[in-house]
Structures are given as structure tokens and as C-alpha cells.
Amino acid sequence: MNKRIVYWGIILLVSLYSCTSKITVDKKDQARNDSIGKYLELAGNDTIAYNKKVLYNDKALTFVNLNQNDSLTRWNLYFIGVNNYNLLQFKKLDKNSKILSNLSFKSNNQLSIAISYKLTGLNEMCKSKNEQAIESFSKAKKIFLKLNATKRLITLNKDIAQVQFYSSDFLGSNKTLFENLKRIKILDKNLNQDLYRNYATIADNFLHLKDYKNSIKYKNESIKWAKNNLKFVNYSYLGIADSYIQLKKYDDAQYYIDLILKNPKSKFVSPQNFYNARSMHGYLKLVNNKMNGLPDLFYEVEDYFFKNDDSGGQDDNQIYLSIYYEKLKDNANAIKAANKALNISKSYKNPSNILLSLEQLIKVDKKNASKNAQEYIMINDSMQIAERSFRDKFARIAYETDEITQEKDKAISQKWIVTAIAAGVILFVLLIHIITRQRAKQKELQLLQEQQKANEEIYELMLVQKNKEELARQSEKKRIALELHDGVMNKLASTRLNLNVLTHRNDPETIEKCLTHIAGIYEIEQEIRNISHDLTMVSFTDTVNSFVILLNDFIKTQKETYFTDYKLEMDETINWERISSSIKMNIFRIIQEASHNVNKFAQAKNATISLVLDKSNICLSITDDGKGFDPEASNEGIGLKNIKQRVETLNGKIVIQSITYKSTSINIAIPLPNVTG
């Protein structure tokens, strides 16, 4: 729908209202309103250069009579505020929202109050005050529901989804948007811009969920509804290019970047998209080792962001600049750019970008890598907490808003006695259900505690009586069971997976490769023989460096066998000769079991195993960037149980953290009494 038609339609409605209220609009007021309408139309015209649109919007504000609190004045302020939001003029938006809020509450007009809440929400969203923004939007939504303003609800829900996106609640944002698309189809009106914004944000959510194929799919869908609006189209092209970069399809990414850069209108109509495309183009040059024109291109982009007080994409540009200097081995400038990216990300409180900046800083600033890694973990954890808090708050607000919709459909009168009886029955059933569940949980917990206590007593008894033959044999049976699972079973699983290729191919080359794995069966036989003859962990005690060599050989085997890129980080101050064989054996088995879980379940690209000496504790950390799991919801397998049992045996502590579709980390601290470097 043409913006000019919308604006003049509102003008007509306000004029009719004025006539019924016996208010006369003189020629001077009419001329002022005509001027405002003209400049608002120009400010919203995407064929006009960006800087000119800003000037036209500012000009429209100069014609608004702020001493006259009528519907037309409030609508004009609203449209000017929305333009400032779209034009990234956030300081002006802040001023607009405060003036409109003041006038709207003085007028006591419900529709004006609703649009003032919406503009306030946009302003708070731009300040990264996401919880305050969702509160303002919910207040506006309640009024729109009461007024049956379906079209305004559709636009508002898009803004609500945007706040969810900024709060990293990508699944919740998509849920809001898909429900919104249903409303648009039911309304069956020409809502191209709303359809575009919904599909574009759905694509952005999928991008952050690392579902790049769906992100590309919905970006292409958004382009259909952009209707040649260059600003919208260029934004979608950027998103598609970003997805292809993540998929490492750099030629495809360059194609969409070129669609923006080679269009002579892009720089004037949507400069932010143009300079973000320039920055991304520079990154693609880095990927392809084409250094010509760098780093001048990145400084050109930085100059635009600085002059226009625009931080959207500025941190990404600084990360690319840091990567450039990293390639040149210019650590000082690489660290400087990474720190600048981090400060920019923090300034607008974007946790995802803060983590990206910290990742780059950890790479280039080896001296402060530990400190930055700790900050990364802290922000990552707080990000999850904040996301959970936001989702809880949003759920409460959504529930309160839904109650208004339900109240409209309820009958006006209800019999209190029926309600009381129903509530009593429900409460009674609920109490019975809760009591039953609590008793079942208590019994289960008691059983687990008793089992744990029994296990501890058995273990203590085995330690005290380890010299007695019969009890020693029982202890060995348990140890051998662990050895078979953690050592032999892992190797057998690896050999089986590598030999499985013979079911698909039996050419000479494949057979030759598989012969090495067949030879590995001999090693498994040897390990079984060692276990059977109750060897006392010779591989952990024969030389000073045997344990380090053993770990390095294990990591090398993992790299050669699986797709995951394993890295081993060891603190050189650890004196392995002074550490007991029992501790070394358990550490090695824990690493084996955790690696087996990574290979079998995580589908990770990278995994890092780190061993650090912290005072009198040895700290073991195993992290991967795989698909993760919910440690609380999932049932523990025998692998995790074995790891925890080994940690308990060593009187250590274990913390397992996992983010679904992102990462998993196992952190273990084992006390080492009287250990020195």
C-alpha cells in the first residue's frame, strides 16, 4: 500500500473527526499539514538518497505545532518517529517518543496512547533495553486488541519478534513471526512490507541458529515481497551472502555482494547495507588471499560508521581488520582492532557479537588469552541466563495479553458456584497429582542416595581391604569392566567404523587402507591380555614422558580417524613423574570416554583437551563445538556415569555445560596433594 495513500487516509479520518467535533481548520493549518505530508512522503521514499531523506524528515518536524494536542499532531509525530527508527536516527527517535508519550497521555486517547507505547518500545529496543521494550509493546498490544486493530497488531508483532531476536530468543522470535504470517493471510490484504519484514527476520533467526539453508530460503522469500525496494532487497542480499560465507561457499557469497556493490543506487538509497557489503567484500578477499586494496577498504567503512554515528556492522568490520593484521603477523594492530570490535559490541550490548569479538581477541592476544577466555565463558553463561529470564518474562506478558483475547470471547456472566466447584476439583486433583509425584520423586531420590551411599561404602571397603585377596579380586573386576568399556570398546568401535567401508567399496586402495585397521586388532588383543593378567598400568609409569607421549598419540589417532579436529593443550609446569599412576590412568580413561562421546554424538568440527595445573589441583577441560545436549533433561549413558565415577574416585569435582546446537564442555578439577612443579 502506498505510504502517501495511508497518510492522506489518516488525514481524511482526522478531518472528519474534526468536523463532527465542530473544530475549524484554517488555511494556515491546512498549509502546514500539506507541508508535513509532503516531507513525510519524501522521507519514506526509498528511491531518494539517504541523507536527503533524513533532511526531509527533520523538515517535517519543523512544521508540527507541538502546542496543539490533536489527533493529527500525534499521528505526525508518530510517523516522524518511525522514519527516524528506519533511518537509524536514534537520538531523534528518543526525543520523538518522549514528546508523543506526553501528548498522548494528556489527550487520554486510547489509540494515541497505543502508538506512543509502540514508539517508546522502538526507542527502548534501539537502546538495547529489551525487557523494557517488550513491556511497552505489550501495553500497546493490549490496546490494539481491545480496538480490534488487526493491521497494527501485525506490525507490532513484527517488532515484538525483533526484540526476541535481539534477546537471542531465536526460536521464540520465529514462533511469533510464523503466527503473524497466519494473521496476514487471514486478513487477506496487500501487506507486502509486513510480509517482507516477517520473512526477513525469520531468515535472520535461522542464520543465528546456524540453519543456513533455511536462512537462504526465507531471505529469497523476503525478496519476493520487497517489490524492488532497494533498501529491503540489499538487506536480504547481505543475509544470503552471510549464510554462504558460513557454508564456505565464497563464490556464491561474492555473487550477492556484487549485486549490492555494482548497483549505482545502493550507496545513496541504503548506505549502511552498501558499506556492510564493502566490509564483507574485504573479508572475502582475505579468505581468497587477495590482499590488494586492504586494509584501506576496512578503514573506508570505519570512516562511514564514525561520521554517521552508526554501529550496525562496525564491530564485524573491526574483526575483519583484525584478521587482516593477523595474516600479516602484525599482532599489535590485530589486537587493537579486536579490542575495538569488543568495545563496539559492548556499547550496544549485543552478546552474540561480543562473543565473536572475544573469539578473535583470544586468537591474536595470546598473553591475555586466559583472561579473555574466562570473560567469554562468563558472558556465554550470562547470555543463557538472560535469554532464559527474557523468555520467562515474555511468556508472562504473552499470557497476560492472551487473557485479554480470551476475555473478549467469554460470556459476560458466569456462575460463581460453578467456578468455585471447578476450581476446587482442579485444585484437589492437582494436589493429589503433586503429592503423588513428590512421593515418587522422594522414593527415587532416596533409592539413588542409598545406592550412592552403598557404592561409596563398597569403594571405601575395597581401599581399606585392598591387600586381601578376595576383596582385591572384586575391586579388579570393577576396574577391568571400566577398562574394557573405556579402552577396548572404544578401539573396537573405531575399528568397526573404519572397516565398515568394505561393505560399500572393496577396491585395492580401500582394502590397503583397511589393512592398517586390521593390524590395530592386534593392539586390542594386547590390551585385553594386559587386563587379563592384571598388569599395573605400565604404560603410565615406565618413563617420565610416557603419559605425554600417550596422550599425543591418542590425539593423533583421533585426528586421523574422525572428522573432528582435536587439539591438546598441556601445562608445561605439570610434573607427571610425581603424579600417581592411578590418577594418570583415570585421566586418560576420562579423555578416552569423552572423546568417544564427541565422535559418536556431537558431530563437532573442533574439540579441545586442556590440562592445567592450578595450585594443588590439576584441571582437565574437554570442549567441543558440536550439537550439544541438555544435561538436565537427558538420561545419562554409561559413558558419563563412568566419567563421574572416576572423578569421584579421585575426590575431584566435575561440571558439565552444554548449549544445544552450539557446544559442550566438561570441566574437572582433581586435587594433587604435595605436587610441585
Side-chain angles (χ1 to χ4, degrees):
M1 184 179 289
N2 189 287
K3 290 183 178 179
R4 187 172 186 176
I5 295 173
V6 173
Y7 177 80
W8 287 111
I10 293 170
I11 296 295
L12 178 60
L13 289 171
V14 173
S15 299
L16 290 171
Y17 174 81
S18 300
C19 292
T20 58
S21 302
K22 308 292 184 182
I23 297 174
T24 304
V25 179
D26 59 26
K27 292 182 179 179
K28 186 177 180 180
D29 287 338
Q30 187 61 50
R32 182 189 294 115
N33 291 332
D34 289 344
S35 298
I36 295 170
K38 179 183 71 175
Y39 285 117
L40 282 175
E41 180 186 357
L42 292 169
N45 190 334
D46 285 313
T47 62
I48 296 174
Y50 172 84
N51 292 334
K52 288 185 177 181
K53 290 194 289 184
V54 173
L55 291 174
Y56 288 137
N57 201 49
D58 292 343
K59 190 71 175 176
L61 181 60
T62 63
F63 283 94
V64 177
N65 184 0
L66 298 178
N67 295 319
Q68 186 174 326
N69 187 3
D70 57 17
S71 297
L72 187 55
T73 299
R74 296 191 295 271
W75 274 110
N76 285 331
L77 282 170
Y78 171 74
F79 284 125
I80 292 168
V82 171
N83 280 340
N84 278 326
Y85 170 76
N86 291 327
L87 295 168
L88 311 177
Q89 300 294 305
F90 301 136
K91 291 181 180 178
K92 296 173 185 177
L93 170 62
D94 183 56
K95 184 177 179 181
N96 282 145
S97 65
K98 289 175 181 176
I99 296 171
L100 178 59
S101 180
N102 183 45
L103 294 178
S104 297
F105 280 98
K106 284 183 178 179
S107 72
N108 200 30
N109 179 280
Q110 289 298 296
L111 186 56
S112 294
I113 291 172
I115 62 172
S116 75
Y117 275 134
K118 180 183 175 182
L119 200 63
T120 299
L122 291 175
N123 182 41
E124 290 165 338
M125 183 168 64
C126 295
K127 293 179 179 179
S128 298
K129 296 179 179 179
N130 295 327
E131 291 192 359
Q132 292 92 323
I134 211 71
E135 290 276 6
S136 296
F137 287 146
S138 69
K139 291 174 183 177
K141 187 173 183 178
K142 289 176 183 178
I143 297 174
F144 287 147
L145 282 169
K146 290 178 181 178
L147 298 175
N148 289 318
T150 307
K151 171 69 170 65
R152 302 208 171 279
L153 272 174
I154 289 170
T155 306
L156 181 66
N157 280 331
K158 165 60 186 69
D159 296 326
I160 290 172
Q162 193 69 47
V163 178
Q164 291 175 285
F165 170 82
Y166 288 145
S167 301
S168 300
D169 183 12
F170 307 120
L171 292 174
S173 179
N174 267 355
K175 180 181 178 183
T176 301
L177 291 165
F178 281 119
E179 290 174 355
N180 217 26
L181 288 173
K182 291 179 182 178
R183 288 191 182 92
I184 295 173
K185 291 177 181 178
I186 292 171
L187 197 59
D188 194 25
K189 288 188 177 180
N190 189 18
L191 300 172
N192 294 339
Q193 191 172 114
D194 291 296
L195 284 165
Y196 164 81
R197 293 183 184 276
N198 276 259
Y199 282 119
T201 307
I202 288 170
D204 290 338
N205 285 321
F206 278 123
L207 178 66
H208 282 76
L209 290 168
K210 297 184 180 181
D211 188 348
Y212 305 120
K213 291 183 179 179
N214 267 324
S215 181
I216 293 169
K217 172 186 173 182
Y218 284 99
K219 280 294 183 186
N220 281 316
E221 188 67 24
S222 72
I223 292 171
K224 294 179 185 177
W225 299 101
K227 301 299 179 184
N228 299 319
N229 182 313
L230 188 59
K231 177 182 175 182
F232 293 165
V233 171
N234 282 352
Y235 180 77
S236 293
Y237 285 159
L238 275 176
I240 293 172
D242 199 355
S243 291
Y244 277 125
I245 286 174
Q246 301 304 322
L247 292 169
K248 301 190 184 305
K249 296 183 178 181
Y250 301 122
D251 290 339
D252 291 329
Q254 188 64 59
Y255 170 79
Y256 284 95
I257 293 299
D258 288 341
L259 289 177
I260 300 172
L261 298 180
K262 292 181 180 180
N263 189 329
K265 296 180 180 179
S266 293
K267 187 174 181 180
F268 301 97
V269 173
S270 55
Q272 186 193 45
N273 293 330
F274 175 83
Y275 282 101
N276 276 324
R278 287 279 290 159
S279 181
M280 203 175 285
H281 173 64
Y283 174 72
L284 290 172
K285 289 170 73 72
L286 283 175
V287 170
N288 294 312
N289 292 316
K290 296 178 180 178
M291 312 295 275
N292 57 303
L294 303 178
D296 293 344
L297 187 152
F298 297 126
Y299 286 117
E300 172 197 342
V301 175
E302 182 185 17
D303 185 59
Y304 160 77
F305 286 129
F306 178 78
K307 288 180 179 178
N308 291 274
D309 192 26
D310 180 8
S311 58
Q314 190 178 4
D315 47 358
D316 289 333
N317 187 63
Q318 288 298 322
I319 290 174
Y320 299 157
L321 186 60
S322 178
I323 294 171
Y324 166 79
Y325 284 120
E326 182 186 6
K327 278 182 171 286
L328 295 182
K329 301 190 183 303
D330 184 351
N331 284 341
N333 278 318
I335 293 169
K336 180 181 177 182
N339 272 315
K340 191 169 183 179
L342 179 61
N343 291 332
I344 294 165
S345 300
K346 287 181 177 179
S347 69
Y348 62 93
K349 302 174 184 177
N350 187 317
S352 298
N353 286 32
I354 291 172
L355 293 181
L356 288 174
S357 301
L358 280 170
E359 284 179 2
Q360 179 60 20
L361 194 57
I362 290 168
K363 288 181 184 177
V364 297
D365 190 0
K366 303 296 184 184
K367 183 178 179 181
N368 297 306
S370 177
K371 182 187 76 173
N372 291 323
Q374 288 176 3
E375 185 178 0
Y376 181 97
I377 294 169
M378 181 186 70
I379 292 173
N380 194 37
D381 291 343
S382 63
M383 183 175 160
Q384 294 179 59
I385 295 168
E387 178 193 346
R388 203 169 296 147
S389 173
F390 176 86
R391 278 192 279 122
D392 292 341
K393 188 164 189 176
F394 179 80
R396 176 182 60 79
I397 292 170
Y399 175 76
E400 291 173 356
T401 307
D402 288 340
E403 281 188 323
I404 295 172
T405 307
Q406 293 169 7
E407 285 172 2
K408 290 172 64 180
D409 301 326
K410 283 181 181 179
I412 296 174
S413 60
Q414 293 181 345
K415 293 183 179 180
W416 286 99
I417 189 169
V418 174
T419 305
I421 292 172
V425 171
I426 292 171
L427 182 61
F428 178 77
V429 172
L430 186 62
L431 285 171
I432 294 297
H433 178 69
I434 291 171
I435 291 169
T436 304
R437 286 194 62 185
Q438 286 297 323
R439 286 181 176 176
K441 285 184 177 180
Q442 286 176 357
K443 287 182 180 179
E444 183 181 355
L445 182 61
Q446 185 178 0
L447 183 63
L448 288 172
Q449 289 174 341
E450 289 174 356
Q451 184 180 358
Q452 181 67 22
K453 185 177 179 181
N455 289 337
E456 290 175 359
E457 289 174 353
I458 291 171
Y459 175 75
E460 290 295 331
L461 189 60
M462 285 191 298
L463 281 179
V464 174
Q465 302 295 333
K466 64 181 179 179
N467 293 324
K468 294 182 179 181
E469 183 179 353
E470 183 61 27
L471 292 179
R473 184 162 54 250
Q474 295 300 322
S475 176
E476 265 318 272
K477 285 173 66 178
K478 290 189 177 182
R479 184 185 67 80
I480 291 169
L482 288 175
E483 296 301 313
L484 286 172
H485 179 271
D486 293 348
V488 177
M489 288 298 292
N490 285 340
K491 289 182 180 179
L492 282 173
S494 174
T495 303
R496 178 177 59 80
L497 287 172
N498 284 289
L499 291 178
N500 190 51
V501 71
L502 289 173
T503 62
H504 304 291
R505 292 184 297 174
N506 54 10
D507 55 278
E509 183 179 353
T510 303
I511 293 171
E512 185 176 351
K513 287 182 179 179
C514 290
L515 287 175
T516 59
H517 300 296
I518 294 173
I521 295 174
Y522 175 75
E523 296 179 7
I524 299 172
E525 292 175 357
Q526 287 298 108
E527 186 164 349
I528 294 173
R529 185 173 290 107
N530 289 343
I531 294 169
S532 301
H533 288 84
D534 190 25
L535 295 179
T536 57
M537 302 165 288
V538 175
S539 58
F540 294 96
T541 58
D542 50 357
T543 65
V544 175
N545 296 319
S546 63
F547 183 70
V548 177
I549 294 169
L550 185 66
L551 281 180
N552 282 315
D553 289 342
F554 175 77
I555 295 301
K556 182 179 177 182
T557 302
Q558 296 300 301
K559 285 185 175 182
E560 292 173 351
T561 307
Y562 301 99
F563 293 103
T564 304
D565 184 12
Y566 280 83
K567 292 182 181 178
L568 176 63
E569 299 175 353
M570 297 186 71
D571 191 340
E572 294 180 357
T573 62
I574 301 175
N575 190 340
W576 292 106
E577 186 179 10
R578 297 191 179 186
I579 296 174
S580 71
S581 299
S582 175
I583 291 176
K584 288 187 286 187
M585 180 273 292
N586 278 290
I587 289 174
F588 182 74
R589 293 310 185 197
I590 289 169
I591 292 172
Q592 273 189 315
E593 183 57 44
S595 301
H596 177 67
N597 287 344
V598 171
N599 298 331
K600 188 174 181 181
F601 305 110
Q603 299 176 12
K605 292 182 180 178
N606 301 286
T608 302
I609 299 168
S610 175
L611 285 159
V612 178
L613 185 64
D614 179 21
K615 296 181 180 178
S616 62
N617 293 293
I618 186 166
C619 300
L620 169 62
S621 172
I622 305 161
T623 63
D624 68 78
D625 58 0
K627 64 181 183 179
F629 67 99
D630 187 346
E632 296 178 358
S634 63
N635 293 322
E636 287 187 357
I638 190 171
L640 281 178
K641 288 180 179 178
N642 285 346
I643 289 174
K644 290 183 176 180
Q645 184 178 342
R646 289 183 184 276
V647 173
E648 285 183 20
T649 300
L650 299 173
N651 295 319
K653 296 181 180 179
I654 180 170
V655 176
I656 301 175
Q657 296 177 313
S658 184
I659 305 172
T660 308
Y661 304 115
K662 287 188 178 180
S663 64
T664 298
S665 66
I666 300 175
N667 298 293
I668 299 168
I670 300 169
L672 299 176
N674 301 321
V675 173
T676 61

